[in-house]
Amino acid sequence: MTLEQLRIFVAVAEREHLTRAAEALNLTPSATSAAVAALEARHATRLFDRVGRRIALTEAGRLFLVEARAVLAQAAAAEQVLLDLAGLERGRLELAGSQTVGNYWLPGVIARFRALYPGITVRVEIGNTDFVAGRVQEGAADLGFVEGELDEPALAKQAVARDEMVLVAPVTHPWTWRPPRAVEELKAGPWVLRETGSGTRAMLEAFVGARGLAPETLNVVLEYPSNEAIRVAVEAGSGVTVISRRVVDGAIRAGTLALVDYALPAREFLALRHKERYTTRAAQAFLALAGQE
């Protein structure tokens, strides 16, 4: 099999659609279909089920996708080693960031990096902390940036910035004129939280846990997978939340959200890299710049 066949297979698998994959790869649908068919025929293994006009990965296809991604990541790393020999005049940098870091801190660092190294193409994926750690482990991202703690022995961690956490509430919530004092008040909320696997959620759970309150006993009324959805829900009166000040600072200044007078610990933004993978010169330069924040 060839790297091109693997590249086509991964594109089709991620989209579960031949035409969309062909468009993304700038290929014809027939060439895309032929590449997949050649892989299946050569190894006598069905990788996709054709269900009407849709396609879906078979169990063999799901297992093969993991290995195909790993091979493509390794090939990209090998190419990057050669590009490094030319200095930082050309190349690419794959980054992954969790939502607060990726949307509110990382763009500024990327802009400064691009000003210094315009020949380096930077690509960013945004997800929660678990997603970012996974992308770095797979080799799909050269560097990851997350909020808070992460227990993953394969990844090296480096603090690059600090983040202020705040408790916010709708402007009509009782906590805006009398902050919670007892554990039972904290428990009652009601709480609007990020999904399990996010650094913001983990930070809140650690905070209440240190006060003797089991996180699962919190009165959680809503969960959302994005900071913006959390902010809008709290503004609408759905409940209270703990979130990065970077996310809600504008809303607090505008008076659509209330800042509750309640001390919370700051957290660190962490850069992640794989301990056993080659760290490119571009990644080293980006880390150095990020650490100056």
Side-chain angles (χ1 to χ4, degrees):
M1 68 184 70
T2 67
L3 289 176
E4 181 66 5
Q5 287 175 322
L6 292 181
R7 188 168 69 94
I8 292 171
F9 165 74
V10 170
V12 174
E14 290 177 342
R15 293 164 180 80
E16 294 194 332
H17 200 284
L18 280 166
T19 303
R20 291 174 192 158
E23 290 172 353
L25 296 169
N26 198 27
L27 295 172
T28 64
S30 59
T32 304
S33 179
V36 172
L39 270 178
E40 291 182 319
R42 179 179 179 84
H43 300 284
T45 303
R46 182 176 289 277
L47 300 173
F48 295 98
D49 284 324
R50 280 70 174 175
V51 183
R53 300 182 65 182
R54 293 185 61 254
I55 60 172
L57 281 168
T58 63
E59 180 62 23
R62 283 190 289 271
L63 294 172
F64 184 57
L65 179 59
V66 175
E67 302 302 327
R69 281 173 169 162
V71 170
L72 291 176
Q74 190 61 40
E79 181 185 11
Q80 191 64 52
V81 170
L82 296 179
L83 290 174
D84 276 357
L85 297 176
L88 291 170
E89 295 182 3
R90 55 192 293 261
R92 66 176 176 271
L93 182 62
E94 300 283 346
L95 304 177
S98 54
Q99 287 200 26
T100 304
V101 179
N103 290 317
Y104 296 94
W105 178 81
L106 202 52
V109 183
I110 292 172
R112 287 187 288 279
F113 179 82
R114 292 279 298 139
L116 291 171
Y117 310 107
I120 305 295
T121 299
V122 181
R123 178 175 175 271
V124 185
E125 292 183 286
I126 304 295
N128 64 22
T129 296
D130 288 349
F131 169 81
V132 173
R135 295 303 276 168
V136 177
Q137 282 186 292
E138 294 167 5
D142 299 303
L143 299 171
F145 293 88
V146 299
E147 313 106 28
E149 293 302 314
L150 182 73
D151 183 19
E152 181 45 67
L155 302 181
K157 309 167 192 67
Q158 174 184 328
V160 290
R162 289 179 69 78
D163 187 36
E164 180 186 359
M165 301 299 293
V166 292
L167 175 59
V168 293
V171 293
T172 57
H173 195 282
W175 288 0
T176 61
W177 58 85
R178 191 183 73 80
R181 296 170 186 167
V183 168
E184 287 304 311
E185 288 184 88
L186 272 180
K187 179 179 176 180
W191 291 93
V192 180
L193 298 181
R194 284 285 307 280
E195 79 286 3
T196 300
S198 79
T200 299
R201 173 74 172 253
M203 184 270 171
L204 172 63
E205 291 181 347
F207 174 74
V208 299
R211 280 150 183 76
L213 183 60
E216 61 270 17
T217 65
L218 289 176
N219 179 26
V220 179
V221 294
L222 286 172
E223 291 186 9
Y224 285 108
S226 80
N227 289 325
E228 290 305 310
I230 295 289
R231 178 184 59 76
V232 172
V234 175
E235 283 180 314
S238 295
V240 302
T241 197
V242 166
I243 201 166
S244 168
R245 180 143 196 167
R246 298 170 192 259
V247 177
V248 295
D249 204 36
I252 292 171
R253 291 198 305 269
T256 58
L257 270 183
L259 180 65
V260 179
D261 184 15
Y262 199 87
L264 291 165
R267 64 179 177 180
E268 292 181 324
F269 288 166
L270 299 176
L272 309 177
R273 63 175 179 80
H274 200 290
K275 292 178 180 178
E276 298 180 1
R277 294 187 188 277
Y278 174 71
T279 304
T280 68
R281 290 185 62 189
Q284 292 171 24
F286 194 91
L287 270 178
L289 187 63
Q292 296 172 12
E293 289 295 299

